[in-house]
């Protein structure tokens, strides 16, 4: 099939590349000439495991092309995926300017039947606005061309996006046009050959499903983080509690890990957008504002533990920070807990030596104004002359470190573990002072 993907950010590039991998001819459009230049020169503008190789393979096979030519891109694909950014506005609502402009460009240039597919995360009712924008442009041209608008939200985890796209647990299609549904079924049939995972529903329900999914996952995280705060006070171990409740099949183990809070481009933005949507509809949600507030508080927990141990004034102190991206296997620093931790440590007068295996270039950009912050090329370097080690992101290389080396390198053997990577009993046996999240019953703070 001939497919156009509008936007070469995270969603657009992964979508276009994976569709090309299945034999489709895909053209990816972006208004950012610099980004297209990176792609044309064999690079990619994001970090996602396996994506660079897949892009290179499909470019070599002439199944994947990149362009800034709007007219050519619109004319290419019967299916037009919109995968542009929807950043939060000042009130928390999703900013749809790029989505609507992409829709208008389709209307300005289309000459035959198109299926316009909202792949970006958008509020309920966006498909109606996309449909109206296209119809207005066709009206200005005084041409009558049939088209359909479909909602096809993405459910990609950063760091595992290719696996999620190629082996989806579900594919949600929101459509009221039978021809469009048939085309979408044909497009996705190679991805679901062993079991039909395609769910067809009305457009508004499909749009709502994406927000509901992310809001539910964020709720589980904040719920466990709140329980971890209580576990610290009561002398319980949140890791044992997690196993106890996760073994209930009605609950399960996913997204029950206490930590330093969630971040990234999805959960914070989508929770706020759903709250904003509810407010606009006259519904006062109670749970989701609490989820967001609990998460913002959780990002301060590591600093609270540091100040409880070293005092509120950290002048003259130096801390090693392992992990900067909001989660492993990505360089995404958006809403990352590390940003809050580092900024607060610096505000209190501390020096910070930070390391991340992937996110250093992006971290240098977003944290450029933080006084006392330096970046190092190896995790061992971060610990030199440091008063304590603070683990913020659970990269694999942090899970089994050389604890003897840590003891020998730090000024004093103190670890603040924001992801509960280490067993408190082992740390105690090794002579390391250990502060986890909700693990005080095992001797941690």
């Amino acid at each position: 099939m001939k497919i156009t993907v509008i936007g070469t950010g995270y969603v657009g590039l992964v979508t276009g590349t994976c569709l090309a991998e299945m034999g489709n001819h895909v053209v990816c459009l972006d208004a950012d000439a610099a980004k297209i230049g990176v792609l044309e020169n064999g690079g990619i503008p994001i970090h996602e495991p396996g994506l660079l190789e897949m892009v290179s393979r499909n470019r070599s096979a002439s199944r994947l092309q990149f362009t800034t030519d709007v007219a050519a891109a619109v004319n290419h694909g019967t299916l037009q995926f919109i995968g542009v950014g929807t950043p939060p506005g000042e009130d928390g609502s999703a900013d749809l300017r790029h989505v609507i402009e992409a829709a208008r460009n389709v209307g300005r240039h289309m000459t035959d039947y198109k299926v316009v597919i909202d792949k970006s995360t958008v509020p309920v009712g966006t498909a109606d606005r996309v449909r109206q924008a296209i119809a207005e442009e066709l009206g200005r041209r005084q041409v009558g061309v049939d088209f359909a608008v479909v909602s096809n939200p993405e459910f990609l985890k950063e760091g595992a996006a290719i696996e999620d796209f190629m082996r989806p647990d579900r594919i949600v299609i929101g459509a009221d046009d039978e021809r469009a549904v048939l085309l979408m079924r044909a497009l996705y049939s190679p991805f679901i050959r062993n079991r039909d995972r395609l769910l067809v529903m009305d457009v508004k329900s499909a749009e709502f499903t994406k927000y509901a999914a992310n809001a539910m996952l964020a709720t589980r995280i904040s719920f466990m983080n709140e329980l971890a705060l209580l576990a610290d006070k009561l002398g319980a171990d949140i890791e044992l509690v997690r196993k106890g409740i996760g073994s209930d099949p009605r609950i399960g183990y996913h997204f029950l890990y206490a930590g330093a809070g969630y971040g990234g481009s999805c959960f914070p933005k989508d929770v706020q957008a759903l709250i904003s949507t509810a407010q606009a509809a006259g519904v006062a949600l109670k749970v989701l504002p609490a989820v967001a507030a609990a998460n913002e508080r959780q990002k301060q927990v590591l600093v609270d533990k540091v100040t409880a141990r070293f005092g509120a004034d950290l002048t003259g102190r130096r801390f090693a920070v392992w992990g900067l991206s909001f989660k492993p296997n990505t360089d995404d620093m958006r809403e990352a807990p590390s940003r809050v931790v580092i900024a607060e440590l610096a505000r209190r007068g501390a020096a910070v030596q930070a390391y991340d295996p992937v996110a250093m270039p992006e971290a240098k950009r977003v944290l450029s104004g933080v006084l006392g912050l330096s970046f190092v090329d190896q995790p061992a370097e971060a610990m030199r002359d440091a008063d304590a080690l603070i683990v913020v992101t659970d990269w694999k290389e942090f899970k089994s470190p050389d604890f003897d080396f840590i003891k020998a390198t730090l000024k004093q053997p103190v670890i603040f573990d924001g992801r509960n990577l280490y067993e408190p009993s082992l740390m105690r046996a090794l002579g390391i002072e250990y502060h986890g999240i909700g693990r005080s019953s095992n001797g941690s703070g």
Side-chain angles (χ1 to χ4, degrees), residues 22 53 85 115 132 139 185 198 213 221-222 244 253 257 315 348 431:
M22 285 301 190
E53 295 80 5
V115 179
Q132 179 182 356
R185 285 190 182 277
L198 196 141
I221 294 171
S222 279
Y253 291 101
Y257 291 90
T315 302
R348 292 175 178 273

Side-chain angles (χ1 to χ4, degrees), residues 302-303 305-322 341-342 344-346 348-355 372-376 379 381-392 410-412 414-416 435:
L302 278 173
V303 176
K305 289 179 178 289
V306 170
T307 55
R309 171 63 175 79
F310 290 100
D313 185 358
L314 298 176
T315 302
R317 298 288 185 179
R318 183 180 302 274
F319 296 97
V321 171
W322 282 4
V341 172
I342 290 172
E344 186 63 16
L345 291 174
R348 292 175 178 273
V352 175
Q353 297 170 163
Y355 167 78
L373 171 62
S374 60
F375 298 92
V376 295
E381 293 178 46
M383 295 187 293
R384 298 201 186 281
D385 298 320
D387 292 282
L389 168 62
I390 304 172
V391 181
V392 186
L410 292 172
K411 286 183 179 178
Q412 45 196 323
V414 182
I415 296 177
F416 296 92
H435 302 267

